[in-house]
Amino acid sequence: MCGIVGGVAERNISEILIEGLKRLEYRGYDSAGLALINEQQVLRERRVGKVVNLEDAVRTQNLSGNLGIAHTRWATHGKPSEVNAHPHISGKVAIVHNGIIENYAEIKAELEALGYQFSSQTDTEVVAHLIAEALKTQATLFDAVQQIVPRLKGAFALGVIHADYPDELIAVRENSPLVIGVGIGEHFIGSDQLALLPITNRFIYLEEGDIARLTRTNVEIFAHGTNRIERPIKELDAAVSHASKGEYKHFMLKEIYEQPEALQQTISQALNGNRLRDDFLSHAEQDFSNIDQIQIIACGTSYHAGMIAKYWSEQLIDLPCQVEIASEFRYRSPVIMNRTLYLCISQSGETADSLAALRDTQKRAKAKDLNITTMAICNVATSSMVRETDYHLLTLAGPEIGVASTKAFTTQLAALILLILKIGTAKQRLDEAEIDCIVKGLWHCPKVLSETLQHNQEILRLSELFVEKQHCLFLGRGTLYPIALEGALKLKEISYIHAEGYAAGELKHGPLALVDNDMPVVILAPQDSMLDKLKSNMEEVQARGGELFIFADENSGIVEKDRQHVVKIPHISAWLAPIVYSIPVQLLSYHVAVLRGTDVDQPRNLAKSVTVE
Ligand code: F6R
C-alpha cells in the first residue's frame, strides 16, 4: 500500500526521505518518487520499480533540499508508471497522497474547464491543481489546503509543499494513517512511524480530520481543519524500533521463528502462574459480565483467527459468537445488537474495511441508544483501531514486516483464548480447574512451537513436491478448519499456487471431484474428538489417487505409506492445536514460495496494511 514520508529540517533531507521509503517497502508498491524544495524550485524525481532506482537517480543528480515529500505508490487509479507516480505537481505545489479521492472525476472535469492540463491518470493530481487554484484567492498555502480539503470525498492522507514556502510542510489526515515525527529543530511526517524510527522515537498521532502545519521549529494542528488543538507527543520504547532480517533470508522466515517468543510475550501480560492476572482487563470486567454475545469483525488472516475464537467462545464459555469479514459487514446494514461485544481483530489496526465497520457500528449503536462494547485485538498500540475502541488487548508480536501474516496470527489466537477466559471468568462460566488446564497448556505452547519448528527440514523436503503443482487442497475439522483456510491463503498469496481450504466434512459435497493423481491434499490432524472422522476423509482422498501430506499428532497412529507423507507434530491439547498447527502450514508455504522464486516478503499485488478499500 502507498507510503508517505516528508520532512522539514535545517539539513538536507533527501537521504532521510529515501531511507524512510525503504522502511515502507514491505507494504508493497510499484513506483516511488520524491520532491524537494531548493532555491524556490520544486525538484522532482520518480521511478517505476524499487526505491533503489529512485535512490540512484537522486544520488546521480545530487538532489538536495531542507523541505521535501516522498512516496511509494501502489496503483489504484492509473497503471504503475512514472507519470502516475507521486509527487504530483501543479505550478509550485507538490503533493503526495495515500488513499482514494472518490469524487476526483467530478473535480477533474471542473478543473479541465478552468484550463488545467492533467499529466497522469491518478485521482491524486486533482488535489495538486485544486490547491494551485485555491492559492489564487487564499493568502497562504495553509489557507488554500484548508479550503480545498472539505471538497475531497474518500479516505486520504496528504503531504503538501510549495516552492515559495521553504519552511512549511502541510499534512492532512482523513481516514488514512499519518503521524508526525518530532525531531530536534526538525519535523517529519510518515504514513507509518516505522519510516521515521531512524530519526526520532517521539510522535504525534494525528486524528481523523486533522490538518497540520509543520515548520522546522513548530507544529500547529487544527482539528476538523479549523480548530487549533494540542495533541500529545508520545515516546516509543526502543524495542519497537528494530526491524531487520538478521540471520534469516526473509522477514517471513524470521517472523515464523519468532513465534515461540512472541507467544510467550503475549501470554505473559495476562497470566500469573496458572491464573489470569488480577489486573488483566480488569477495567472491562463489568462490561464483559453484561454481554450476551460476541460479534467479531476482521479481514484475511485476522478473520481466520476470529473463526477459531468462535469455537472457543461457544464451546468453552457457552457464549454465542458470530464472525464476519469486515468488507461484507460494513455494507450489508447488519442489525446492531444490544449487549454485544464488537471485537475487531487486526495486525495493523489500520485496515480500512475493519475500521469502517467499527465506526459504522459505533455510529449506529449510538443512534439507537444501544449498549454495546467495542474492543480491538491488535499488534500496533498506537493504531487507529486501538485508539477508537473501548478496550484493547495487544498482541505483543513485535513489528511484522513480511506481508504474509505469521506471528501476528498465532499471537492473535493466544490473545483470543485469553480474552475468552477473561469473559468466562467475568460471567462465572468457567471454574478454576478449566482455567488451570488451558493456562498450563498456554505456558507449554512456546516450547511445543519450538519443537514443531524443528521439523523445518522435513517440511522443506515435502515442499519440493509442491513446486510444479497448480492446485492444492487443505483440510481440517473443528478449530483446524480455519487453519486449513489459513494454510490455503498462505500458499496462494506467497507461492501463487491456487489453494483451497475446506472443512474436511465438506469433501463429499464438491471438492472431492478435484482430487486426482496430481492434487496434493494437506491434512491437519491433531489428537482430538474428530480424528476418526478425519481418517475416513483421508481414505476418501487416497481412494481417488490424491497424495496426502499430513501434519499429525505424534500419538495419532497415522503413519507414512505410499503417497501418504506424515510430519509428526508434538502433542498439544485440542484447545490449543490451532496455534501449533499454524507453524507447519506457514513453513510449507514459505518453502514452496522460495523454491518457486517468488518475492516472499512482498508478494505481487499485495500490501501489508490495506488502508484503502
Ligand atoms: C494474509 C494477511 C492478510 C491480513 C489482512 C488483514 O497473510 O496478512 O490477509 O490478515 O489484510 O490485515 P490486518 O490484520 O492488519 O487487519
Side-chain angles (χ1 to χ4, degrees):
M1 202 91 335
C2 302
I4 289 179
V5 192
V8 51
E10 235 170 86
R11 51 180 166 158
N12 168 28
I13 59 166
S14 60
E15 303 262 330
I16 294 175
L17 297 185
I18 296 281
E19 170 61 24
L21 291 186
K22 284 187 176 165
R23 294 176 71 88
L24 296 180
E25 282 192 294
Y26 76 93
R27 295 159 64 102
Y29 67 102
D30 48 57
S31 50
L34 149 162
L36 295 157
I37 303 293
N38 195 327
E39 297 186 357
Q40 297 206 313
Q41 276 189 25
V42 182
L43 310 175
R44 175 177 63 173
E45 270 310 321
R46 297 177 293 176
R47 287 291 183 275
V48 173
K50 298 283 174 188
V51 172
V52 64
N53 302 344
L54 176 71
E55 183 178 27
D56 288 346
V58 170
R59 287 229 172 106
T60 314
Q61 294 170 57
N62 214 2
L63 293 189
S64 68
N66 310 328
L67 170 64
I69 47 179
H71 192 260
T72 44
R73 174 171 187 257
W74 191 74
T76 57
H77 296 70
K79 61 181 188 335
S81 68
E82 202 163 301
V83 285
N84 286 334
H86 301 208
H88 288 281
I89 289 183
S90 181
K92 294 180 173 182
V93 178
I95 74 153
V96 285
H97 161 223
N98 278 5
I100 292 174
I101 310 293
E102 284 169 3
N103 56 338
Y104 85 99
E106 164 198 326
I107 300 175
K108 186 170 177 181
E110 200 181 294
L111 287 163
E112 277 172 337
L114 289 172
Y116 284 91
Q117 303 216 329
F118 283 77
S119 56
S120 75
Q121 292 95 49
T122 64
D123 52 339
T124 306
E125 199 180 348
V126 298
V127 184
H129 293 315
L130 263 186
I131 297 172
E133 180 63 17
L135 270 167
K136 291 182 182 164
T137 53
Q138 298 296 310
T140 67
L141 177 63
F142 183 82
D143 294 344
V145 174
Q146 206 176 28
Q147 189 198 40
I148 66 106
V149 165
R151 287 224 45 203
L152 307 176
K153 293 207 179 98
F156 49 88
L158 300 170
V160 183
I161 55 175
H162 189 289
D164 292 342
Y165 293 79
D167 183 32
E168 194 161 311
L169 169 60
I170 312 289
V172 181
R173 175 182 177 149
E174 184 69 53
N175 290 317
S176 183
L178 199 64
V179 296
I180 294 177
V182 180
I184 301 168
E186 53 190 19
H187 288 111
F188 297 88
I189 56 170
S191 50
D192 185 327
Q193 62 203 20
L194 201 65
L196 305 177
L197 285 171
I199 14 174
T200 185
N201 67 341
R202 300 171 72 226
F203 294 97
I204 301 173
Y205 297 94
L206 294 175
E207 302 273 334
E208 307 307 348
D210 282 356
I211 304 185
R213 184 173 163 272
L214 285 68
T215 65
R216 269 169 248 179
T217 50
N218 200 20
V219 174
E220 290 172 330
I221 302 172
F222 297 83
H224 310 295
T226 49
N227 309 327
R228 179 87 166 82
I229 191 162
E230 291 299 326
R231 302 238 180 260
I233 298 180
K234 295 195 176 155
E235 213 157 293
L236 281 194
D237 74 63
V240 186
S241 35
H242 208 64
S244 94
K245 271 185 273 199
E247 68 196 273
Y248 294 94
K249 191 167 169 202
H250 295 100
F251 278 110
M252 181 176 176
L253 189 61
K254 173 171 179 259
E255 288 157 5
I256 290 174
Y257 272 85
E258 281 172 349
Q259 289 176 106
E261 168 72 17
L263 199 81
Q264 177 94 29
Q265 293 278 347
T266 303
I267 62 177
S268 299
Q269 64 180 327
L271 300 178
N272 180 6
N274 286 342
R275 300 188 42 202
L276 292 178
R277 289 166 66 128
D278 291 340
D279 58 357
F280 174 58
L281 288 172
S282 51
H283 54 305
E285 230 160 68
Q286 184 67 38
D287 282 338
F288 287 168
S289 67
N290 286 330
I291 58 169
D292 291 337
Q293 59 196 325
I294 304 177
Q295 171 69 61
I296 295 178
I297 308 163
C299 303
T301 289
S302 298
Y303 167 72
H304 295 154
M307 287 178 75
I308 293 164
K310 177 181 169 73
Y311 288 84
W312 287 335
S313 179
E314 301 202 346
Q315 291 176 5
L316 262 169
I317 63 169
D318 204 20
L319 188 67
C321 176
Q322 284 91 43
V323 195
E324 193 163 342
I325 294 166
S327 56
E328 285 302 313
F329 186 87
R330 67 180 284 196
Y331 286 120
R332 70 169 181 85
S333 301
V335 176
I336 305 300
M337 297 159 299
N338 210 15
R339 294 167 62 94
T340 300
L341 173 66
Y342 283 86
L343 176 62
C344 293
I345 308 173
S346 173
Q347 187 284 129
S348 61
E350 303 293 350
T351 302
D353 283 321
S354 305
L355 272 177
L358 167 68
R359 290 170 181 159
D360 188 53
T361 301
Q362 286 166 325
K363 203 157 98 196
R364 295 175 57 204
K366 196 168 170 200
K368 290 193 171 167
D369 202 20
L370 296 175
N371 173 18
I372 66 161
T373 301
T374 60
M375 182 164 179
I377 286 189
C378 190
N379 197 37
V380 181
T382 49
S383 62
S384 304
M385 196 174 284
V386 166
R387 284 183 282 130
E388 294 179 28
T389 38
D390 299 327
Y391 305 108
H392 62 265
L393 176 51
L394 293 178
T395 49
L396 303 181
E400 191 180 64
I401 307 294
V403 161
S405 188
T406 52
K407 61 177 179 170
F409 177 64
T410 41
T411 53
Q412 281 169 352
L413 293 180
L416 282 161
I417 199 153
L418 289 166
L419 175 66
I420 297 299
L421 293 184
K422 180 70 195 180
I423 297 173
T425 313
K427 295 183 81 63
Q428 298 179 335
R429 291 189 183 180
L430 277 177
D431 60 35
E432 295 266 320
E434 285 167 313
I435 297 180
D436 191 74
C437 167
I438 290 178
V439 169
K440 275 195 186 128
L442 273 171
W443 281 126
H444 184 50
C445 227
K447 182 165 173 278
V448 181
L449 290 189
S450 299
E451 287 166 7
T452 308
L453 284 164
Q454 286 168 17
H455 291 281
N456 183 37
Q457 287 304 321
E458 231 174 301
I459 296 173
L460 168 63
R461 278 195 296 280
L462 291 186
S463 67
E464 285 161 12
L465 302 171
F466 285 70
V467 177
E468 301 298 329
K469 302 289 181 195
Q470 304 294 321
H471 307 278
C472 177
L473 267 182
F474 285 76
L475 301 178
R477 281 178 174 262
T479 52
L480 274 296
Y481 160 45
I483 299 299
L485 293 175
E486 176 60 8
L489 176 62
K490 286 283 96 85
L491 188 68
K492 67 184 125 186
E493 72 178 323
I494 60 167
S495 76
Y496 316 151
I497 292 176
H498 170 233
E500 301 270 0
Y502 267 96
E506 273 291 291
L507 199 56
K508 290 195 205 59
H509 301 287
L512 197 53
L514 291 171
V515 173
D516 61 11
N517 282 346
D518 218 22
M519 173 66 93
V521 181
V522 179
I523 306 270
L524 302 162
Q527 183 86 8
D528 62 13
S529 58
M530 304 301 284
L531 186 60
D532 286 339
K533 293 204 179 295
L534 194 66
K535 286 181 179 170
S536 309
N537 298 134
M538 284 158 39
E539 279 175 27
E540 286 159 9
V541 171
Q542 280 227 314
R544 272 96 192 160
E547 187 163 15
L548 289 170
F549 297 82
I550 309 169
F551 298 119
D553 188 289
E554 58 193 3
N555 305 327
S556 64
I558 300 173
V559 289
E560 289 257 349
K561 54 182 183 185
D562 186 35
R563 293 176 67 76
Q564 173 162 309
H565 313 270
V566 182
V567 176
K568 294 211 167 135
I569 303 296
H571 178 70
I572 183 81
S573 78
W575 290 119
L576 302 177
I579 302 182
V580 174
Y581 283 71
S582 301
I583 300 272
V585 297
Q586 293 167 355
L587 283 172
L588 179 69
S589 308
Y590 171 77
H591 290 305
V592 175
V594 172
L595 291 171
R596 284 170 63 100
T598 60
D599 191 345
V600 173
D601 284 334
Q602 292 168 38
R604 66 185 182 201
N605 309 336
L606 297 180
K608 180 68 184 162
S609 179
V610 186
T611 51
V612 292
E613 271 191 85

